[in-house]
Amino acid sequence: MAILQLSITLAMFFLQLLSGAHSSTFSIVNKCSYTVWPGVLSGAGTPQISPTGFALQPGQSTSIPVPTSWSGRIWGRTLCTEDSSGKFSCLTGDCGSSTLECSGGAIPPATLAEFTLNGAGGMDFFDVSLVDGYNLPMMISPQGGTGVNCTSAGCAADLNGDCPMELKVVDGSEGVACKSACDAFGDPQYCCSGAYATPNTCKPSSYSQFFKTACPTAYSYAYDDGTSTFTCTGADYVITFCPSPSTSVKSSNPMAVDISSTGSQPTSSAFIGGAITTTLAVFWQLRHLF
């Protein structure tokens, strides 16, 4: 049995070598003015990353080598504490493990960085998702990769103060996170479930448009694929919490968003080609593994 396992491991190694599969490095950077506790969740059937949770002080960064063909999520936890019994918990993005490291995913609302590396066609697929809500700004920036839409993506805007009241999570009087409409109301039309479980029946809502206007390259609802999924080949990735703002949100009106600094929203012309359409479909299937 040991010989068989060794043979399989060696075979997989040489297949990856022959295919030119790239092993990436994630650099995780905290530019927030407060401590962020990143959490990591590896997809089912993919190699695990360690550690699965740690602290980043303001201005601090760390690098993590990522296994070939890894898929998973990375997010930031905020307002974390440890009580007298040693139980660790966070007000936003908590993973329910009661420890610094995570054994599961983020409890919504949380901004998510999602990856499938060396997927269809040997490409990396990545996005920043607000489908499960929002708790802090986050951007993914590929380094050294190639591809038609191998570019930075995410949400640089701080939405917590301007979140619609019915979605807002508060700590005292301060907004600390912004729920998705699905999480807030549980309505199938917002959750893209039941009779609304297809791209034809699940459409953007006024709530998802709030997220999309402020963060045009982030997922705002489940079928927001066309302007929200990005691909690279042979890249490393910088994941930044609280990047330099590229958008601003008017604080005087929770539903009024200043898009003067966002530029044009991406359009489907950036995703021309049957190969891109096919790989987007594959990536959508992979996202449902979480």
Side-chain angles (χ1 to χ4, degrees), residues 25-111:
T25 298
F26 287 169
S27 297
I28 304 176
V29 182
N30 180 18
K31 291 188 176 181
C32 302
S33 60
Y34 48 85
T35 304
V36 175
W37 289 262
V40 180
L41 174 66
S42 299
T46 67
Q48 302 297 297
I49 287 180
S50 181
T52 58
F54 50 94
L56 282 181
Q57 301 298 325
Q60 194 174 12
S61 64
T62 191
S63 294
I64 300 175
V66 184
T68 302
S69 301
W70 182 81
S71 65
R73 292 174 167 179
I74 297 174
W75 68 97
R77 296 169 287 174
T78 66
L79 300 168
C80 302
T81 58
E82 187 174 85
D83 67 17
S84 58
S85 67
K87 179 181 179 181
F88 181 85
S89 62
C90 304
L91 193 57
T92 81
D94 192 65
C95 56
S97 66
S98 298
T99 63
L100 178 62
E101 294 205 37
C102 290
S103 55
I107 298 171
T111 312

Side-chain angles (χ1 to χ4, degrees), residues 115-183:
F115 291 90
T116 296
L117 304 182
N118 293 301
M123 291 189 293
D124 299 342
F125 296 81
F126 63 94
D127 69 82
V128 169
S129 175
L130 310 182
V131 175
D132 289 343
Y134 168 101
N135 70 329
L136 79 173
M138 185 195 307
M139 293 291 293
I140 300 172
S141 300
Q143 306 291 308
T146 59
V148 173
N149 59 332
C150 183
T151 186
S152 296
C155 183
D158 186 349
L159 304 181
N160 287 332
D162 299 278
C163 177
M165 287 303 300
E166 57 269 37
L167 306 183
K168 185 177 288 190
V169 177
V170 297
D171 180 28
S173 60
E174 182 182 2
V176 296
C178 192
K179 293 181 180 180
S180 67
C182 174
D183 188 26

